[in-house]
Amino acid sequence: MTLLHNKVAIVTGGASGIGRATALLFAQEGARVAVADMNEAAGLAVVAQIEQTGGQAFFQRTDVRQDLACSELVDAAVDRYGRLDIAFNNAGVSGTVGLTQNIALAEWRKVLDINLTGVFNCMVHQLRAMKARGGSIINTASIMGLQGTPGGAAYSASKHGVIGLTRSAALEYGKYGIRINALCPGFVATPMVVGPDSHFDDQATQALVKTTALRRFGEPEEQAQMVLWLASDKSSYATGGHFVVDAGVTA
Ligand SMILES: NC(=O)c1ccc[n+]([C@@H]2O[C@H](COP(=O)([O-])OP(=O)(O)OC[C@H]3O[C@@H](n4cnc5c(N)ncnc54)[C@H](O)[C@@H]3O)[C@@H](O)[C@H]2O)c1
């Protein structure tokens, strides 16, 4: 029996990186998956890949900054598959790098809107949908949500916020059988970190690699394995936690 047999899952940021790897793994483990992202072409490609291997999924174009879009996403999953069991709130951006005094207010708001308010927007509707039957919500924070990040104050603040939101909601909703946890990835080889839009040049990348005990960046699939565990009944006693998968960077 697969780990997520008959479960219904939403994955935001499902078109790329950690979200993509998780959507594929969820489907492989028997879940029917709503792949949500702003990147329609890449999201549809993930759905096609799931369908090619006999899984079930659909794409929903979603900007997590928009409350209505998040409401429609949850409704679409429930309308199509009958219920919602799992939500991986993972869409995020890195934001610009620079001293706090130089962060433009618009940039600050953008990072907080996507990384923190986006998780909140999704959770509001997911919690309503899950309240009667329970479920598992996993929110993507970061190791930058556990420690300060010189040059990345907006990102770090947003990820600290995700952990606070996760903990508070976990305490509220445990009695309804809803478990809520945060994932704290270290450095993962996704477009955010290694693509052309990455803030890190070769030298910075090498310096980051040296902070890992395993002397390498992680793969998105290695984060997806933790998300799978948190989504599945195997993690039945885990709620309100933050789960670090960082090759020892914060050790
Ligand atoms: N890659 C890392 O090293 C790392 C480390 C710690 C945490 N994270 C977090 O992991 C999550 C996934 O990042 P990734 O590394 O896979 O990056 P990625 O860039 O590969 O994927 C992010 C996805 O989010 C989508 N997205 C961005 N804004 C959105 C919005 N407003 N609404 C809906 N979708 C939106 C993008 O289109 C993209 O598909 C993010 O929350 C990121 O902060 C990443």
Side-chain angles (χ1 to χ4, degrees):
M1 173 88 80
T2 48
L3 277 178
L4 304 183
H5 181 64
N6 264 339
K7 304 261 188 189
V8 177
I10 286 173
V11 177
T12 75
S16 176
I18 296 167
R20 175 180 176 277
T22 302
L24 294 172
L25 184 60
F26 277 4
Q28 195 183 306
E29 289 293 335
R32 289 164 288 171
V33 185
V35 177
D37 206 290
M38 286 175 60
N39 185 338
E40 186 157 357
L44 287 170
V46 173
V47 169
Q49 197 172 338
I50 289 172
E51 288 175 342
Q52 272 161 22
T53 49
Q56 289 184 63
F58 71 97
F59 175 73
Q60 179 88 5
R61 192 181 187 287
T62 309
D63 180 346
V64 295
R65 288 172 287 190
Q66 308 298 328
D67 174 64
L68 180 61
C70 297
S71 166
E72 287 173 351
L73 168 63
V74 172
D75 286 351
V78 172
D79 286 350
R80 191 177 284 238
Y81 297 137
R83 60 175 196 273
L84 179 65
D85 304 294
I86 297 159
F88 181 37
N89 297 316
N90 162 78
V93 291
S94 55
T96 53
V97 173
L99 279 183
T100 299
Q101 69 186 63
N102 296 329
I103 300 173
L105 182 57
E107 176 66 13
W108 169 270
R109 285 196 170 130
K110 182 184 164 196
V111 173
L112 270 288
D113 268 1
I114 296 174
N115 291 4
L116 179 55
T117 308
V119 173
F120 168 76
N121 285 339
C122 289
M123 281 180 68
V124 165
H125 303 288
Q126 293 158 358
L127 289 165
R128 289 176 187 157
M130 286 178 177
K131 210 168 155 199
R133 306 171 34 104
S136 175
I137 296 176
I138 305 101
N139 299 323
T140 301
S142 167
I143 55 171
M144 308 306 186
L146 299 169
Q147 57 191 24
T149 314
Y155 184 80
S156 191
S158 73
K159 296 301 189 178
H160 277 78
V162 169
I163 292 175
L165 172 60
T166 299
R167 287 175 169 159
S168 302
L171 295 175
E172 291 174 358
Y173 287 89
K175 63 180 172 227
Y176 301 107
I178 305 175
R179 298 184 298 103
I180 310 171
N181 292 287
L183 174 75
C184 294
F187 303 114
V188 186
T190 70
M192 185 179 283
V193 174
V194 295
D197 298 333
S198 161
H199 300 308
F200 305 115
D201 58 19
D202 278 354
Q203 207 182 346
T205 301
Q206 286 316 311
L208 290 178
V209 166
K210 282 195 185 135
T211 67
T212 67
L214 300 178
R215 294 294 186 269
R216 66 174 177 86
F217 279 176
E219 295 301 325
E221 291 74 16
E222 295 172 307
Q223 301 295 322
Q225 289 292 341
M226 175 61 86
V227 185
L228 171 63
W229 182 75
L230 288 168
S232 78
D233 296 338
K234 298 263 182 203
S235 60
S236 52
Y237 202 58
T239 197
H242 59 273
F243 291 80
V244 176
V245 184
D246 73 344
V249 173
T250 53

